[in-house]
Amino acid sequence: MPSPITPFADEADSLQIDDLTVENRTDRVSLYGSVALTKDRAGLEHARALKAILDAVVAALEDEENLPEAVATKPPDQVPNPFG
């Protein structure tokens, strides 16, 4: 099963696997939430989708020639509280 996203390709791709969200960015792929890998066909499909995404992420990282030790993370923009 091919990955439904191309890791690190853009800032727009996002998908859901059960309650797990996968967000694509140019410097990271973020996973948050949860996914139940149940012992049934739905669990198998969830496991295959997750594996395809992780395999694509590993391949993209292994193909990177100048992979840094760590990516600098930028804190989220602070938005003024309109009620405070």
Side-chain angles (χ1 to χ4, degrees):
M1 165 183 259
S3 175
I5 64 170
T6 302
F8 314 109
D10 58 50
E11 298 277 332
D13 288 342
S14 177
L15 61 98
Q16 290 283 141
I17 303 171
D18 197 18
D19 290 328
L20 182 74
T21 301
V22 180
E23 288 185 349
N24 200 28
R25 306 283 307 269
T26 56
D27 64 344
R28 73 194 76 232
V29 174
S30 299
L31 298 102
Y32 56 88
S34 64
V35 59
L37 302 177
T38 50
K39 193 175 179 182
D40 55 16
R41 291 185 189 274
L44 177 59
E45 288 306 310
H46 291 156
R48 284 180 175 156
L50 186 57
K51 181 180 183 307
I53 291 165
L54 293 178
D55 285 346
V57 169
V58 169
L61 291 170
E62 288 176 341
D63 287 347
E64 192 69 31
E65 289 185 21
N66 296 314
L67 196 63
E69 285 297 316
V71 172
T73 57
K74 180 180 113 177
D77 294 332
Q78 295 293 324
V79 178
N81 183 348
F83 304 105

